[in-house]
Amino acid sequence: MAADMDEFWVFGYGSLMWNPGFRFEEKLTARAFGYRRSLCVRSWVHRGTERHPGLVLGLDYGGSCIGTAFRVAPAQKAEVIDYLRERELVTHVYKERTMPVQLSSGQRVPALTYVIDRSHVQYAGALSAEEAAATVAVATGKSGPNSEYVLNTLEHLREMGIRDHWLEEVAAKLTAGGAESLRA
């Protein structure tokens, strides 16, 4: 199936899935190929500070990522792009890209998304679950505790039927007494 050229889609893979912050007409599960969800961004604003960075998700190279595609009304396109740029490009750790995603219906559509800039100083690279959990456990930014972000994202992934084993391992270290030992 070909996409309607007038359609505008946004692909979310982290907090955008459960907190888009913009109006949309349709919301579907979608998969982006060539990128994976990764807790690889040092957050200096929303979930940490420059002095005590947290970690948030980025799309990093390799694999595929199941997330959410939002269809936005053509009249709202400019407003949504402005909003997303203000939200996602605060420190320019992400690159704005339009990439094909496959909707749960099987249709492929171009979608606006944000991928990690591996050359940016905030790129954390591949961390062990223990290293990630230790960082997340103590970080807080203007949008709240970093642990809240990780646990909310994981909860929403589960509600969508999406398993992210590595993120689950990070969360397990944050809960059930794990956070206290990480802060020590």
Side-chain angles (χ1 to χ4, degrees):
M1 288 180 128
D4 181 332
M5 295 305 289
D6 292 330
E7 288 186 347
F8 175 64
W9 291 86
V10 175
F11 179 72
Y13 52 86
S15 64
L16 204 60
M17 292 188 308
W18 48 270
N19 183 25
F22 58 85
R23 292 191 330 207
F24 54 89
E25 295 190 331
E26 187 175 9
K27 174 181 171 181
L28 295 172
T29 300
R31 181 184 298 264
F33 295 94
Y35 292 90
R36 69 185 189 289
R37 182 182 1 267
S38 177
L39 204 57
C40 65
V41 179
R42 290 184 190 97
S43 178
W44 290 355
V45 178
H46 291 285
R47 297 298 177 165
T49 64
E50 197 165 345
R51 189 169 180 180
H52 298 288
L55 290 170
V56 294
L57 294 167
L59 275 184
D60 203 356
Y61 296 113
S64 68
C65 177
I66 298 174
T68 302
F70 300 92
R71 186 171 55 83
V72 176
Q76 300 295 315
K77 179 178 178 179
E79 180 182 325
V80 169
I81 290 172
D82 288 345
Y83 165 78
L84 288 171
R85 286 177 177 164
E86 184 176 323
R87 174 178 170 161
E88 302 297 330
L89 300 178
V90 174
T91 64
H92 299 282
V93 68
Y94 297 110
K95 294 179 181 179
E96 186 177 85
R97 295 286 183 262
T98 298
M99 62 175 28
V101 299
Q102 184 171 357
L103 303 176
S104 54
S105 66
Q107 180 183 15
R108 286 187 177 253
V109 297
L112 181 69
T113 195
Y114 294 86
V115 301
I116 186 66
D117 178 354
R118 283 184 158 194
S119 67
H120 197 282
V121 68
Q122 286 177 261
Y123 178 61
L127 300 172
S128 71
E130 187 165 277
E131 290 171 315
T135 299
V136 168
V138 298
T140 298
K142 79 175 192 176
S143 295
N146 198 182
S147 58
E148 178 182 274
Y149 167 86
V150 170
L151 297 174
N152 278 341
T153 301
L154 188 56
E155 178 183 332
H156 285 82
L157 289 174
R158 286 180 178 148
E159 287 172 5
M160 294 175 64
I162 300 169
R163 294 293 309 267
D164 187 318
H165 297 285
W166 186 81
L167 198 59
E168 290 170 12
E169 187 178 345
V170 172
K173 294 181 181 308
L174 290 171
T175 58
E180 289 79 22
S181 64
L182 292 169
R183 291 186 186 115

